[in-house]
Amino acid sequence: MPCKLLNVCVYETNKLVRIQSVRLGSLKWTFNGVILLFICIMLLWNKEYQEHDYVVSSVTAKVKGVAMTSLPELGEIVWDVVDYSGPSQGKNSFFVVTNVIVTKNQRKGTCPEVPQNGIICQKDKDCIKGFWDQHSHGVQTGACVKFDVIRKTCEVSAWCPLESKKKPPRPALLPSAENFTVLIKNNIRFPNFNIIRRNILPEMTDSYLKHCQFNSRTDPRCPIFRLGNIVQEARENFSEMAVEGGVIGIQISWDCNLDGFLRNCLPKYSFRRLDEKESNRTLYPGLNFRFARYQTVNGVEERTLFKAFGIRFDVMVFGTAGKFSIIQLIIYIGSTLSYYALTTLFIDWLIGTSCYSKEARQNYTDKKVESVQDKQQCILCVSFVDENHIALVKRSQKRSLQQAKPISVHPWKVSHFVILLVSVFYNYSAGHNELHKHTLPLEMSLRSHPDWCLCGCCLPSNQPQEQLCCRRSIGRCITTSSQFGQLVLSRPVLEAVLLYREPLFELTEGEEQTAALRHCAYRQYISWRFGVPPKECLPVMPSCSVWRIREFFPSKEGDYTGLRISRTRSPLSSSNTPL
């Protein structure tokens, strides 16, 4: 399209092909109905009509409970929240001690390293003064001393005696920790909607909170949880988990609907174990840490070392809030309209399969697809008398047109102009009572024909696009048929056609009239043999027909321009024929 300012005011739309078919129409509306149902279900199920916002939250936890345990090294010990909570485990987490290894009466001094961590030595030179690594309990002094009757280890400067036990006791020393409770306070906010909520709901009173305890069936909103119930909801055994410790996730989900009478914004709790629970599948199972209690005895500082095993509870908050938005609804509807293209794709594929005849598929393709050739590419159209279709071939500068392989074939379509020609001919035949019989002249039949000629009537040519015969296989030439003489070479018919096209044309004898009759004969042949050729292709006459017409209507000087390739819209009125 030329680049002009007025082109911005032009509206363009797609071309549609309407197929009158009850089967295809029913199939189309069935598919469209299924797609519409799917769109509506997804619209309601996923709330695609809502604008969404993500939760911003804070969490605090308060653990309560008291336990008493008997330790061989220390006797009866009472554990309260200060003892078993341990150090802070990070944001949104709390820790509860369930098992311990105690090493009492440690003092700063020197002692033999534990064999599991230290090097078994024989002499002092086997120990390096000042050496330590991540498995050592202290810094080596450079001396090799007795650990027991049999073994010697390097002496270290550390808190002595060293911690020697590796495996925690079974069963756990604080199994009663499963009866501890924790109050979880969760405050959330949805910034886009300016909505603030907390898991302690407005209807919860002080008396209710003093007696309630979370139960997934009877009281799923209570923010107070029994630790044993949390582990049980995570499908774990508290007694087993208490031995080595582990990590439990407490998930709080806020799925809020802020639309009118459907308004709902309540927390939902779920639980799961987060660490690997099988000891034989990991090198460092469970969870533990160390802490010490210091005292002074006879002016010497001592400590009791505790290696505490326990369960860490991580509180994780997830949530979204949705509210109706006309913009989101329009965006969703617009994005789903493309699904209807699936109906067109499926039906087009169905038409292209063997469910429809070859003729029906070709007819649909011709109506739907309009091919436009590149300016640098010339497509020629040929018709053979022994084939009932028209073939399209590419023009070649080296290979003869007779040997070119077709790129596509099309059924022959009758032209209304051919019907007019036949009626004109019979009217003239009835009026003049003439019967035209045309036979090949003796000199033409005796001529030698080129290799690409299969009818025996073609003449040699140096132009590849003119090297075309009327037949695909050896046989009788089309110029010997009576129809050729009656429709193409009959002077009365040609004169009638000339007058039909140009009513004021003067039929006077001379070179001008002969040239006009010759050109009209070319158009007659194209209308007869090609009917309505496909668009954007150039019909080419066979050599035998061209020279037969020139025999009847010769040029006075014997000068013919030959086939001229030019792009025109109508093959019947173009100059793409031999002159």
Side-chain angles (χ1 to χ4, degrees):
M1 181 181 292
C3 184
K4 296 181 180 180
L5 182 61
L6 293 179
N7 290 341
V8 298
C9 299
V10 175
Y11 172 74
E12 297 178 354
T13 186
N14 296 328
K15 178 181 177 181
L16 299 178
V17 178
R18 182 177 287 110
I19 303 176
Q20 299 293 341
S21 171
V22 175
R23 180 169 57 173
L24 292 180
S26 302
L27 189 62
K28 180 194 75 171
W29 287 113
T30 301
F31 265 86
N32 288 345
V34 172
I35 292 174
L36 179 61
L37 180 62
F38 172 78
I39 292 174
C40 293
I41 291 176
M42 291 296 101
L43 175 68
L44 299 176
W45 184 268
N46 295 329
K47 298 181 177 65
E48 297 290 350
Y49 54 86
Q50 289 184 337
E51 178 185 1
H52 294 90
D53 188 21
Y54 293 99
V55 67
V56 177
S57 75
S58 66
V59 174
T60 58
K62 182 185 291 186
V63 182
K64 287 187 177 182
V66 179
M68 177 177 288
T69 181
S70 177
L71 299 179
E73 298 86 352
L74 301 177
E76 298 286 340
I77 296 181
V78 176
W79 298 76
D80 61 10
V81 64
V82 177
D83 298 317
Y84 57 68
S85 293
S88 174
Q89 296 293 310
K91 183 181 179 182
N92 299 346
S93 298
F94 61 93
F95 183 86
V96 175
V97 176
T98 57
N99 205 1
V100 292
I101 296 176
V102 180
T103 305
K104 66 176 183 177
N105 301 329
Q106 285 187 322
R107 294 183 178 184
K108 291 181 181 179
T110 58
C111 50
E113 179 64 278
V114 178
Q116 297 95 318
N117 298 326
I119 300 175
I120 303 297
C121 61
Q122 300 296 331
K123 301 177 181 179
D124 290 346
K125 66 178 182 179
D126 295 333
C127 302
I128 302 173
K129 185 177 181 179
F131 175 80
W132 70 275
D133 59 22
Q134 63 269 29
H135 300 294
S136 301
H137 287 94
V139 180
Q140 293 183 12
T141 63
C144 181
V145 297
K146 287 185 178 182
F147 178 78
D148 53 25
V149 178
I150 301 175
R151 295 172 293 179
K152 287 184 175 183
T153 59
C154 294
E155 185 183 55
V156 294
S157 177
W159 285 89
C160 301
L162 301 179
E163 180 186 75
S164 57
K165 293 182 180 180
K166 291 297 179 182
K167 293 185 179 180
R170 288 180 180 269
L173 298 178
L174 282 85
S176 59
E178 66 177 327
N179 295 318
F180 296 172
T181 60
V182 56
L183 169 63
I184 298 177
K185 294 185 287 185
N186 178 212
N187 296 275
I188 66 164
R189 182 171 182 264
F190 296 104
N192 289 350
F193 305 131
N194 197 25
I195 297 295
I196 298 176
R197 291 288 186 273
R198 60 186 307 206
N199 65 330
I200 300 178
L201 304 179
E203 60 269 20
M204 293 180 179
T205 62
D206 184 59
S207 60
Y208 168 79
L209 292 176
K210 287 181 179 180
H211 299 89
C212 80
Q213 192 173 100
F214 175 86
N215 186 288
S216 58
R217 294 181 178 84
T218 60
D219 199 353
R221 307 299 180 196
C222 179
I224 300 176
F225 303 84
R226 178 177 172 269
L227 300 188
N229 292 343
I230 293 177
V231 176
Q232 184 179 1
E233 290 286 338
R235 299 182 179 181
E236 297 291 336
N237 185 289
F238 190 92
S239 299
E240 290 294 328
M241 192 173 182
V243 175
E244 294 181 328
V247 182
I248 293 291
I250 303 174
Q251 298 174 332
I252 306 178
S253 176
W254 294 84
D255 187 10
C256 298
N257 188 350
L258 305 180
D259 290 334
F261 64 93
L262 297 176
R263 195 178 186 89
N264 179 31
C265 193
L266 296 173
K268 182 179 180 182
Y269 302 96
S270 60
F271 313 90
R272 57 173 297 184
R273 183 165 185 170
L274 302 179
D275 66 318
E276 176 58 60
K277 66 180 180 179
E278 298 294 338
S279 298
N280 58 350
R281 294 185 184 180
T282 178
L283 294 176
Y284 303 100
L287 180 64
N288 62 78
F289 68 93
R290 291 176 174 85
F291 68 95
R293 292 177 179 174
Y294 295 86
Q295 65 272 353
T296 302
V297 179
N298 298 326
V300 180
E301 185 181 26
E302 292 184 356
R303 76 177 188 181
T304 302
L305 178 66
F306 294 86
K307 183 178 181 181
F309 298 82
I311 303 175
R312 190 181 77 192
F313 297 86
D314 294 342
V315 183
M316 298 170 288
V317 182
F318 308 92
T320 58
K323 193 173 185 179
F324 177 80
S325 171
I326 187 64
I327 296 178
Q328 292 298 323
L329 179 61
I330 293 174
I331 292 175
Y332 175 76
I333 294 175
S335 63
T336 55
L337 289 178
S338 58
Y339 294 167
Y340 287 102
L342 297 175
T343 301
T344 303
L345 292 176
F346 177 77
I347 295 179
D348 287 349
W349 170 82
L350 186 65
I351 294 175
T353 61
S354 57
C355 296
Y356 285 83
S357 63
K358 182 178 180 181
E359 292 77 11
R361 296 198 301 269
Q362 185 65 44
N363 181 54
Y364 174 72
T365 302
D366 292 343
K367 295 292 186 182
K368 181 180 179 181
V369 180
E370 183 176 355
S371 300
V372 178
Q373 303 298 335
D374 184 50
K375 292 183 178 180
Q376 303 298 326
Q377 188 179 45
C378 181
I379 303 299
L380 304 179
C381 179
V382 297
S383 175
F384 298 101
V385 70
D386 51 350
E387 293 181 351
N388 59 353
H389 58 257
I390 298 173
L392 301 185
V393 298
K394 291 183 180 180
R395 179 190 177 189
S396 176
Q397 298 292 343
K398 299 179 180 179
R399 196 174 186 181
S400 67
L401 193 58
Q402 180 71 22
Q403 299 173 348
K405 294 183 179 180
I407 58 176
S408 64
V409 294
H410 297 264
W412 187 86
K413 296 180 180 180
V414 66
S415 171
H416 297 289
F417 192 65
V418 173
I419 299 175
L420 175 64
L421 296 180
V422 176
S423 62
V424 169
F425 165 73
Y426 281 109
N427 289 336
Y428 267 88
S429 298
H432 294 81
N433 195 22
E434 296 179 358
L435 181 62
H436 298 275
K437 294 182 179 180
H438 302 278
T439 58
L440 286 175
L442 179 61
E443 62 274 15
M444 188 172 182
S445 62
L446 294 178
R447 293 172 183 170
S448 60
H449 55 273
D451 295 338
W452 46 266
C453 177
L454 300 175
C455 67
C457 299
C458 300
L459 296 182
S461 175
N462 295 327
Q463 301 295 329
Q465 65 268 20
E466 294 182 358
Q467 298 174 3
L468 179 66
C469 183
C470 66
R471 302 186 61 88
R472 179 69 77 177
S473 57
I474 298 176
R476 181 184 172 192
C477 182
I478 191 173
T479 59
T480 62
S481 66
S482 59
Q483 288 84 359
F484 185 87
Q486 294 169 356
L487 294 175
V488 180
L489 300 180
S490 174
R491 181 180 290 271
V493 172
L494 297 178
E495 291 176 350
V497 172
L498 285 175
L499 292 176
Y500 175 79
R501 291 181 179 275
E502 300 181 30
L504 301 180
F505 183 78
E506 296 183 2
L507 299 174
T508 58
E509 295 292 337
E511 180 65 21
E512 183 180 355
Q513 181 186 9
T514 303
L517 292 174
R518 182 169 66 251
H519 297 165
C520 184
Y522 294 148
R523 290 191 293 269
Q524 287 287 93
Y525 182 88
I526 293 175
S527 299
W528 173 39
R529 293 302 306 154
F530 290 88
V532 181
K535 293 182 179 181
E536 300 297 332
C537 66
L538 311 176
V540 180
M541 292 176 57
S543 175
C544 53
S545 301
V546 171
W547 286 105
R548 183 63 168 155
I549 293 173
R550 290 175 181 176
E551 291 275 356
F552 263 72
F553 308 104
S555 173
K556 186 175 182 180
E557 289 81 9
D559 186 18
Y560 304 99
T561 59
L563 181 64
R564 294 185 297 180
I565 303 297
S566 63
R567 305 190 69 81
T568 55
R569 294 189 61 85
S570 174
L572 299 180
S573 60
S574 68
S575 59
N576 297 314
T577 56
L579 300 180

